[in-house]
Amino acid sequence: MLRFNPRRGVALRMDRVGVAIAALLLGLVSVLFGMGRAHAAAGCKVTYSVNQWSNGFTANIGLTNLGDSLSSWTLEWDFAGNQQVTQGWSGTYSQSGKHVTVKSLSYNGSLATNASTSLGFNASYSGTNDAPTSFKVNGTTCNGTPGGGGPTDTPTPTVTPTDPGSGGPHADNPFSGGKGYVNSEWSDQAKNDGGSAIANQPTAVWLDRIAAINGVNGGMGLKAHLDAAVAQGASYAQFVIYDLPGRDCAALASNGELGPTDIGRYQTEYIDPIASIMSDSKYKNLKIITYIEPDSLPNLVTNVSGNTATTQCQTMQQNGNYVKGVQYALNKLHAISNVYTYIDAGHHGWLGWDSNLGPAAQLFATVAKGTTAGVNSVDGFVINTANYSPTTEPYLPVNSQTRASTWVDWNYYVDESSFGAAFRQQLISDGFPSSIGMVIDTSRNGWGGANRPTGPSTASDINTQVNAERVDRRPHVGDWCNQAGSGLGARPTAAPASGFDAYAWVKPPGESDGASSSIPNDEGKGFDQMCDPSYGGNVRNNNNPSGAMPNAPLSGHWFSAMFHQLLQNAYPPVQ
Ligand code: BGC
């Protein structure tokens, strides 16, 4: 898993964000229209629906091609009033007076006969906000709807809702008021390796490949975990949804099993079975917390242009499969009333810089607005997943002097509490409800032990001062693999602070982030030099040492030396 990206990331152009749900609604449209007609040259249907407030609105557009196959499309309409597009997705938007033109992108231009795609935009207006009365695709007026003609205000359904069960009202904070599921597979390992004192803590279960749904190598699958959670009388259980096509596009240690174009397999072989199991009514009283696809959307913010770009991240931006996959997961999981969705939002040393924070929040908002339930499909955001950024830096102030230090490097945030609070505000400004809550993964961000600073420094050199004050002992905040000196962080806690739903142990302590040398395997795990202690770094950690511990096994495998170190350097200490 990659965990960092520097501030030099270039703001993403929103018109290129892949938000299209290329939902093939074959069968929705009558065979009377298009199919089988040798000369069915052109034809289209457009649906247009809005969510509006006093001076602005979000529009969702469904476009169905009723003519011959298209390799690209241009959609046009005239606004009825003074509406002005401020931001659009799944197309390149331009507006001249009342006239709007949207051109398809590389990944959503191809539309077979009867195929549909979706797009949308945010706009301002004053007075009335009547819908446009006519749309054109590639110059042809869209009037070929099976049910009538012209635009309608009925949104096109893009997913089949999962049986929601009867999980009762959806709680604001699913962590509150009950105990978390303790995964016996992790707990047994912890107990057998000297960790009895913490072995009763709830940790997340990573569904890191299709086979994990049924259990790998005779281990527990999703059903077995949910049954065990019910048997434990747990009120919540946590799962990491982690199998996107082209996974971990800026690192190698957790490249997954699905190639960049395998979105179909992700949907039908991964998300669908997970949703089907989670929607079983026997789990209706359990709050099922899902952490959605660590690293994926943050990588689209920082690793698609400039000197931090990777070819694989550019591919995933261009083909839209991270966005489509996350939207599909949100649609399926949010539809189950006792399932809770938290999107991964990097950490302060990744998205904290201004040039990344704003674009990241916008990307998340755009992705969420493209789901069936819009921003309401998201319960919150998880930060610091499997990373080492401290919850608080007690002795390191953020001011004009410290910001100029090599360590802080102009970031406004040096810890997850301040970053999480600011990021949450930005997300709310971008349209998320104020009910969203942040979760911090505190499994390995304690930084206790003998080397933990105990107070402010009076050194006159700013770098000496900052280095003496920071509890985060990494060589660089971009280091993410098996960090030497790290310790367990705060034990899982519900509602630790305003705006924060929980401190949770998302990465099970003791599991490796990646092998320190190449190990052949059939898990799709590569060798990332950031896990090699002798590696001198790259542009993403500003050419610093990797900070990794030696002799690490493959990511996800038990790493005993690391587990002992985490216990040793726990903060608060393990009693
Ligand atoms: C690995 C997964 C593992 C998870 C939790 C990830 O980095 O790729 O295989 O389940 O960490 O340890």
Side-chain angles (χ1 to χ4, degrees):
M1 245 188 215
L2 174 87
R3 301 297 172 193
F4 164 75
N5 276 282
R7 67 202 163 91
R8 295 159 198 92
V10 173
L12 201 62
R13 283 190 41 207
M14 296 313 293
D15 58 0
R16 294 183 53 199
V17 175
V19 179
I21 306 169
L24 298 178
L25 296 175
L26 297 172
L28 238 197
V29 180
S30 158
V31 288
L32 289 173
F33 291 86
M35 286 178 75
R37 286 193 202 169
H39 56 280
C44 46
K45 172 193 165 189
V46 167
T47 61
Y48 180 92
S49 65
V50 301
N51 294 320
Q52 72 182 51
W53 51 98
S54 62
N55 57 0
F57 66 102
T58 299
N60 289 306
I61 298 176
L63 164 60
T64 305
N65 173 29
L66 301 178
D68 287 347
S69 293
L70 300 176
S71 58
S72 66
W73 45 261
T74 299
L75 173 67
E76 293 172 272
W77 70 86
D78 286 322
F79 278 130
N82 63 359
Q83 294 91 341
Q84 181 69 44
V85 175
T86 53
Q87 177 203 29
W89 48 93
S90 304
T92 304
Y93 288 69
S94 57
Q95 181 171 358
S96 166
K98 291 177 186 297
H99 193 75
V100 180
T101 306
V102 189
K103 289 184 184 299
S104 58
L105 301 175
S106 57
Y107 65 85
N108 67 0
S110 156
L111 271 188
T113 303
N114 288 340
S116 301
T117 191
S118 61
L119 57 150
F121 62 89
N122 291 331
S124 60
Y125 78 100
S126 60
T128 53
N129 183 24
D130 293 332
T133 53
S134 173
F135 292 86
K136 279 184 183 172
V137 169
N138 294 354
T140 300
T141 302
C142 298
N143 55 12
T145 66
T152 76
D153 59 1
T154 315
T156 307
T158 51
V159 291
T160 315
T162 316
D163 171 15
S166 58
H170 197 77
D172 178 40
N173 182 353
F175 295 87
S176 283
K179 59 179 187 166
Y181 165 58
V182 179
N183 172 5
S184 62
E185 292 188 325
W186 171 80
S187 181
D188 288 348
Q189 273 176 306
K191 264 186 226 149
N192 294 336
D193 208 0
S196 298
I198 53 137
N200 61 345
Q201 294 294 345
T203 53
V205 172
W206 287 60
L207 300 173
D208 65 348
R209 65 199 97 152
I210 290 164
I213 301 170
N214 291 321
V216 178
N217 298 331
M220 293 167 82
L222 176 56
K223 269 192 200 140
H225 283 295
L226 290 169
D227 288 342
V230 171
Q232 275 179 20
S235 70
Y236 69 88
Q238 307 165 85
F239 296 90
V240 181
I241 303 298
Y242 191 51
D243 202 26
L244 269 184
R247 192 173 79 186
D248 212 11
C249 65
L252 302 170
S254 289
N255 286 172
E257 62 188 344
L258 298 180
T261 58
D262 281 339
I263 186 71
R265 290 193 64 199
Y266 179 73
Q267 295 174 339
T268 58
E269 295 177 42
Y270 183 70
I271 294 295
D272 288 354
I274 290 174
S276 152
I277 293 169
M278 288 182 173
S279 64
D280 191 321
S281 62
K282 68 180 170 170
Y283 309 126
K284 69 180 183 211
N285 294 323
L286 184 68
K287 298 183 174 77
I288 303 175
I289 291 165
T290 57
Y291 301 113
I292 312 265
E293 297 294 354
D295 297 344
S296 54
L297 299 178
N299 269 326
L300 293 188
V301 179
T302 60
N303 288 327
V304 292
S305 61
N307 63 352
T308 58
T310 70
T311 310
Q312 178 93 325
C313 288
Q314 288 173 327
T315 300
M316 298 321 298
Q317 185 198 30
Q318 279 152 16
N319 70 18
N321 283 343
Y322 276 4
V323 170
K324 284 179 215 165
V326 168
Q327 288 179 326
Y328 191 83
L330 287 172
N331 277 332
K332 284 285 179 176
L333 297 173
H334 173 74
I336 309 165
S337 63
N338 57 316
V339 173
Y340 294 77
T341 56
Y342 289 83
I343 295 183
D344 180 75
H347 63 108
H348 85 276
W350 184 347
L351 299 183
W353 283 278
D354 300 12
S355 50
N356 298 339
L357 192 145
Q362 272 185 20
L363 173 61
F364 295 151
T366 303
V367 169
K369 284 170 185 167
T371 64
T372 309
V375 291
N376 295 322
S377 66
V378 180
D379 291 287
F381 292 82
V382 57
I383 54 178
N384 201 44
T385 305
N387 205 272
Y388 297 87
S389 294
T391 303
T392 52
E393 275 287 4
Y395 315 118
L396 173 56
V398 177
N399 56 40
S400 53
Q401 282 87 41
T402 58
R403 288 188 68 226
S405 68
T406 306
W407 173 256
V408 182
D409 194 17
W410 302 106
N411 203 330
Y412 278 107
Y413 309 102
V414 294
D415 58 31
E416 296 305 292
S417 295
S418 59
F419 165 67
F423 195 51
R424 179 170 173 275
Q425 284 312 320
Q426 185 62 48
L427 290 159
I428 292 169
S429 309
D430 286 339
F432 283 99
S434 55
S435 57
I436 54 165
M438 310 300 286
V439 173
I440 303 178
D441 181 358
T442 60
S443 56
R444 307 180 302 176
N445 74 347
W447 296 106
N451 294 330
R452 184 181 173 89
T454 52
S457 155
T458 53
S460 53
D461 173 67
I462 192 62
N463 283 320
T464 314
Q465 181 203 315
V466 166
N467 288 335
E469 288 177 337
R470 60 185 170 96
V471 298
D472 185 340
R473 311 305 302 159
R474 284 177 286 185
H476 188 269
V477 74
D479 290 337
W480 53 268
C481 196
N482 302 325
Q483 289 302 285
S486 56
L488 300 168
R491 309 317 168 251
T493 314
S498 169
F500 288 81
D501 283 355
Y503 296 155
W505 283 8
V506 182
K507 176 80 182 183
E511 292 185 8
S512 171
D513 295 316
S516 35
S517 57
S518 179
I519 301 177
N521 66 88
D522 60 3
E523 298 175 32
K525 310 259 171 82
F527 165 54
D528 195 298
Q529 288 186 293
M530 289 295 285
C531 301
D532 173 356
S534 66
Y535 182 53
N538 56 40
V539 68
R540 279 182 285 278
N541 76 339
N542 223 0
N543 299 297
N544 278 278
S546 69
M549 296 177 71
N551 305 319
L554 289 174
S555 65
H557 291 223
W558 193 254
F559 186 9
S560 182
M562 177 156 200
F563 186 63
H564 295 157
Q565 178 198 276
L566 290 170
L567 287 167
Q568 182 78 34
N569 291 340
Y571 193 90
V574 171
Q575 302 300 334

